[in-house]
């Protein structure tokens, strides 16, 4: 248990060294997993619409080596000076600063998000980036229900994103259904697939669960690639209806949005609308999660993450608890997928590769499994970070990777590793939701 | 002080017949017969590895019994799902306590009410009165409690369901003698004032038998002796096997 403090040894001897190496290896393996698909292989849409990708195994090698060294040093430092040392290295003023920031950060981020389309009205690039970041915030929050709250390691989350995207694409192109009608359908279908995935993996834990969910993600993608008559195969689906303002299209014509509201036509209207749609969807995800955490089902998810056997002995039906976690997480993935489809107007299997699952999982893990704010921060930092260092090209992945190594080593539980209790007595005695606690794991 | 008088209501609340449980090839329970009557404290003592924890877990259906019958309040629960067994208001403080380390003390206690949805603030009050130390630590994370406090939390969590049968697996394990005595005192209190029926698994045979109305001795997956707590305490073979040096 975490509360047993090991007396600091005077010298590092055999078994301790072995432990340090093992701990470093684990860090390196986790690092390899996180980095391989984000640094090792990069894919981008080429000029002709095809997929361009390039590999950089050297950089990947360096990152994994860095993870190993950092993990090793961390373990040695901890062995020498006890668990609390990494925290003690942080000045008290810095801790206080982090605490204040943490309290104001959520509301500040929200206010900024709401005002973004106004501040950056004529900077389409930034708005597009904002939409992308919010999509990942939403995906992160959705997966957070499964991984962060219920503790079920799901490597195939992108499958539900795909189900949502293809549901909207197919229902809108073949039956002409509107986005708002398709949205719940996409969510329900994704949730259905979530339950379907849930059943076979109910008895699996840890690594096995991860592998099976990974396979599930790939199966869905392969089905999409091969079921040409329905999904268009590798060519995908084009001509997906763009979003309308509740029936009013964002077009320049007399029936268009601009005309109706008596303003000059601008293509930005649609972008701003999309921005607020994904913001609303993401906030819905967050709101539902926060509400569910306070209900018996949400508490059961969190308890399940901590101790499954104890849950059962307390009368929790772990089967339905797991299935509802999968279904709820999948539903939000489906919503996000439908949004993705309407925003792009074009979808193909390439958008739903394992790389996406890995990225969303990295967001949840680095954000601090279970912390809503942490996940949002991680999503924004990652997507923003990718862009920020785009100019540095060669070095951007290095900087980015370094940041990830630093988080893994310093905060193995993620940016915000502490959880806030979901119930208090009627007269709440708020405990500090310290950002600095719980460095060990 | 011993609890010599038998409780008035003497119907068998829990009745186990010919129970056998195996882990693969290891047969841990080789045909157990045991009975707990309404309102009793029954102690189950035995050396490490005798199968005491296995018996407790088998009552909860995890692992499943190979053969034999477990009857609770007249109903055969041998094949019922674990969570449904809990919903019949059998609660346990399991081996290793199994509290939720990242959840607050209050949340841990709240998790105990799953099996009894009508559990009220009164149940919480009762637990907090029984273990005042928990009251001071309601917002503290379970994992940061001391061993004794974790044990109190595990028992408290079980009590939140207002159980008809409370099963405790080595509640005194790893605790300072003084803290262990507090726990035993709390068990006695619960039984006397609230009439909670208790099945107590202990290695600390002296305290357990002093507390219990009746006791069972388990050796290698079999019950070898049974009798009132008093009688067992007086048996020379018990003194030799379980009590030497065990008295504090
Ligand atoms: N999960 C398990 N898998 C295999 N064998 C087990 C398991 N749990 C207990 N055993 C074995 O069953 C026997 C009884 O163990 P246990 O019930 O824990 O005894 P006690 O609680 O009396 O110390 C022991 O021989 C132990 O090794
Ligand atoms: Mg045991």
């Amino acid at each position: 248990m975490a509360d047993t403090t090991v007396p600091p040894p005077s010298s590092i001897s055999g078994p301790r060294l072995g432990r340090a190496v093992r701990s470093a290896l684990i860090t390196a393996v986790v690092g390899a997993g996180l980095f391989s698909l984000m640094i090792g292989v990069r894919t981008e849409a080429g000029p002709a619409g095809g997929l361009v990708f390039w590999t950089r195994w050297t950089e990947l090698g360096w990152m994994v080596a860095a993870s190993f060294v950092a993990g090793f040093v961390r373990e040695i430092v901890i062995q020498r000076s006890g668990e609390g040392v990494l925290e003690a290295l942080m000045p008290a003023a810095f801790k206080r600063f982090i605490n204040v920031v943490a309290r104001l950060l959520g509301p500040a981020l929200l206010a900024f998000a709401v005002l973004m389309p106004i501040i950056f009205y004529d900077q389409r690039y930034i708005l597009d980036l904002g939409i992308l970041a919010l999509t990942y915030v939403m995906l992160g929050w959705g997966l957070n229900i499964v991984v962060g709250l219920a503790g079920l390691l799901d490597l195939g989350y992108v499958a539900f994103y795909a189900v949502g995207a293809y549901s909207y694409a197919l229902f809108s192109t073949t039956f002409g259904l509107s986005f708002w009608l398709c949205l719940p359908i996409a969510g329900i279908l994704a949730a259905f697939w979530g339950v379907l995935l849930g059943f076979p993996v109910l008895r699996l834990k840890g690594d096995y669960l991860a592998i099976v969910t990974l396979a599930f993600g790939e199966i869905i993608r392969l089905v999409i690639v091969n079921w040409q008559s329905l999904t268009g195969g590798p060519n995908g689906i084009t001509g997906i209806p763009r979003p309308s303002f509740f029936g009013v299209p964002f077009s320049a014509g007399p029936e268009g949005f601009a005309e109706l509201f008596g303003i000059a036509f601008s293509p930005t209207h649609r972008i701003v609308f999309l921005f607020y749609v994904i913001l609303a969807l993401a906030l819905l995800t967050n709101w539902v999660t926060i509400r569910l955490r306070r209900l018996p089902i949400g508490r059961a998810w969190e308890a399940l993450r901590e101790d499954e056997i104890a849950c059962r002995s307390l009368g929790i039906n772990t089967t339905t608890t797991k299935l509802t976690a999968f279904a709820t997480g999948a539903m939000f993935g489906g919503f996000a997928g439908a949004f993705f489809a309407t925003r792009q107007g074009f979808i193909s299997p390439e958008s739903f590769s394992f790389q996406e699952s890995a990225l969303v999982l990295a967001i949840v893990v680095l954000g601090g499994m279970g912390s809503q704010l942490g996940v949002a921060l991680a999503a924004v930092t990652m997507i923003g970070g990718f862009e920020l260092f785009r100019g540095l090209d060669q070095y951007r992945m290095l900087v980015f990777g370094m940041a990830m190594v630093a988080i893994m080593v310093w905060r193995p539980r993620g940016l915000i590793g502490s959880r806030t209790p979901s119930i208090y007595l009627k007269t709440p005695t708020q405990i500090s939701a310290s950002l600095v606690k719980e460095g060990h794991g | 002080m011993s609890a010599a008088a038998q409780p008035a209501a003497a119907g068998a609340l829990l009745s186990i017949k010919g129970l056998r449980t195996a882990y693969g090839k290891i047969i841990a329970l080789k045909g157990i017969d045991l009975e707990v009557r309404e309102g009793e404290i029954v102690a189950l003592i035995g050396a490490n590895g005798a199968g005491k924890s296995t018996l407790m877990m088998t009552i909860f259906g995890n692992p499943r019994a190979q053969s034999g019958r477990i009857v609770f309040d007249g109903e055969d629960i041998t094949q019922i799902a674990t969570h449904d067994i809990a919903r019949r208001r059998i609660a346990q403080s399991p081996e290793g306590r199994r509290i939720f380390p990242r959840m607050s003390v209050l949340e841990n206690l709240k998790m105990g009410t799953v099996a009894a949805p009508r559990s009220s603030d009164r149940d919480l009050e009762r637990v907090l009165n029984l273990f005042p130390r928990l009251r001071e630590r309601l917002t503290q994370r379970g994992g940061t409690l001391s061993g004794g406090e974790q044990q109190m939390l595990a028992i408290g969590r079980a009590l939140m369901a207002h159980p008809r049968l409370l099963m405790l697996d080595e509640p005194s394990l790893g605790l300072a003698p003084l803290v262990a005595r507090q726990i035993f005192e709390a068990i006695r209190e619960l039984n006397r004032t609230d009439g909670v029926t208790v099945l107590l698994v202990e290695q600390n045979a002296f305290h357990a038998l002093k507390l219990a109305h009746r006791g069972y001795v388990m050796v290698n997956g079999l019950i070898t002796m049974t009798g009132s707590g008093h009688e067992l305490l007086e048996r020379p073979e018990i003194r030799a096997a379980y009590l030497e040096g065990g008295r504090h």
Side-chain angles (χ1 to χ4, degrees), chain B residues 23 26 28 47-54 95 170:
Chain B
Y23 298 103
I26 305 168
N48 231 332
K52 307 182 294 296
S53 300
T54 304
E95 182 164 48
E170 306 214 22

Side-chain angles (χ1 to χ4, degrees), chain A residues 16 31 66 83 92 99 103 125 160 188 235 262 317 342 354 406 423 426:
Chain A
R16 291 229 169 73
E83 276 285 351
N99 269 331
R103 221 166 304 129
Y125 166 76
F160 310 122
I188 290 167
N235 298 326
N317 183 339
T342 188
F354 171 67
I423 31 172
K426 267 132 222 155

Side-chain angles (χ1 to χ4, degrees), chain A residues 3 299 302-303 306-307 309-317 417 419 421-426 429 431 438, chain B residues 60 82-83 86-87 92 98 100-103 106-107 110-111 114-115 121 124 138-139 141 143 145 157:
Chain A
D3 53 356
R299 276 205 295 276
E302 287 197 84
E306 312 244 309
D307 193 327
I309 292 174
C311 279
R312 269 194 237 125
S313 310
L314 288 171
I316 294 171
N317 183 339
R419 68 178 281 283
S422 61
I423 31 172
Y424 294 100
L425 283 185
K426 267 132 222 155
T429 44
I431 59 159
E438 295 189 56
Chain B
F60 261 96
T82 299
H83 64 265
R87 279 165 194 263
Q92 66 166 176
R98 291 193 176 270
F100 302 113
R102 292 189 69 193
M103 294 177 126
L106 182 59
E107 284 173 307
K110 204 80 188 168
M111 289 312 298
V114 174
D121 288 351
L124 182 62
L138 279 178
T139 53
R141 287 191 309 120
L145 297 178
R157 187 179 63 178

Side-chain angles (χ1 to χ4, degrees), chain A residues 131-427:
Chain A
I131 291 174
L132 187 68
L134 282 172
T135 309
Y136 280 99
V137 170
M138 176 165 182
L139 285 171
W141 277 341
L143 182 60
N144 190 38
I145 294 173
V146 184
V147 178
L149 292 187
L152 304 162
L153 186 52
D154 182 353
L155 288 184
Y157 192 59
V158 76
F160 310 122
Y161 192 42
V163 168
Y166 274 87
S167 312
Y168 173 61
L170 290 170
F171 278 106
S172 63
T173 53
T174 43
F175 302 117
L177 298 185
S178 78
F179 176 73
W180 297 106
L181 200 60
C182 287
L183 192 67
I185 299 178
I188 290 167
L189 281 176
F192 171 75
W193 283 100
V195 172
L196 224 59
L197 165 67
F199 268 114
V201 303
L202 278 173
R203 288 172 179 280
L204 303 179
K205 283 200 187 71
D207 314 352
Y208 298 103
L209 180 64
I211 289 165
V212 172
T213 53
L214 187 148
F216 183 78
E218 283 302 283
I219 288 169
I220 294 261
R221 197 173 62 81
L222 290 176
V223 167
I224 291 172
V225 170
N226 288 295
W227 196 349
Q228 301 237 1
S229 57
L230 183 72
T231 64
N235 298 326
I237 298 175
T238 52
I240 300 168
R242 309 311 299 267
S244 61
F245 188 77
F246 305 98
V248 184
F250 288 96
S251 63
E255 304 278 279
F257 173 83
E259 192 67 28
L260 186 73
F261 285 84
I263 45 177
F265 171 77
S266 156
T268 313
H269 293 157
R270 177 162 67 208
I271 308 298
V272 170
F273 180 65
L274 279 173
F275 186 95
Y276 281 121
V277 168
I278 187 63
L279 180 62
L281 285 175
L283 289 178
L284 175 76
T285 313
N286 184 36
W287 182 77
V288 169
T289 308
I290 290 173
R291 292 310 298 251
L292 285 178
R293 259 198 74 199
R294 297 195 189 129
L295 296 178
I297 182 66
R299 276 205 295 276
W301 286 339
E302 287 197 84
L304 188 69
R305 172 189 67 196
E306 312 244 309
D307 193 327
E308 191 172 335
I309 292 174
C311 279
R312 269 194 237 125
S313 310
L314 288 171
I316 294 171
N317 183 339
T318 50
T319 304
T320 52
T321 304
K322 282 183 189 180
L323 289 181
T324 50
F326 273 120
T328 313
M331 179 181 73
F332 290 115
F335 287 163
F339 174 82
F340 176 77
T342 188
R343 183 196 140 182
Q344 298 289 105
F346 161 75
I347 51 169
S348 75
E350 251 98 52
S351 311
F352 308 106
S353 61
F354 171 67
Q355 191 173 331
E356 292 296 310
S357 290
L359 179 57
V360 179
L361 185 67
I363 286 170
V364 174
V365 173
L366 293 181
M369 311 236 289
S371 157
Q372 295 295 95
L373 180 60
V375 169
L377 272 182
V380 171
T381 318
M382 283 233 192
I383 304 303
F386 275 135
E387 285 305 311
L388 201 61
F389 294 104
R390 192 181 276 284
L392 297 174
D393 213 30
Q394 270 298 315
Y395 301 103
R396 111 176 133 134
M397 275 303 148
L398 209 65
V399 172
F400 181 72
M402 279 299 175
M404 277 172 65
V405 172
I407 291 177
M408 279 163 52
V409 170
W410 279 76
R411 313 196 61 82
R413 286 209 172 142
L415 284 174
I416 301 185
S418 64
R419 68 178 281 283
T420 330
S422 61
I423 31 172
Y424 294 100
L425 283 185
K426 267 132 222 155
T427 47

Side-chain angles (χ1 to χ4, degrees), chain A residues 111-132:
Chain A
F112 180 71
V114 170
L115 293 177
M116 239 180 106
I118 298 164
I119 302 170
F120 300 106
Y121 184 74
D122 40 10
Q123 283 167 278
R124 163 123 194 221
Y125 166 76
I126 296 201
L127 288 186
D128 274 333
L129 190 61
I131 291 174
L132 187 68

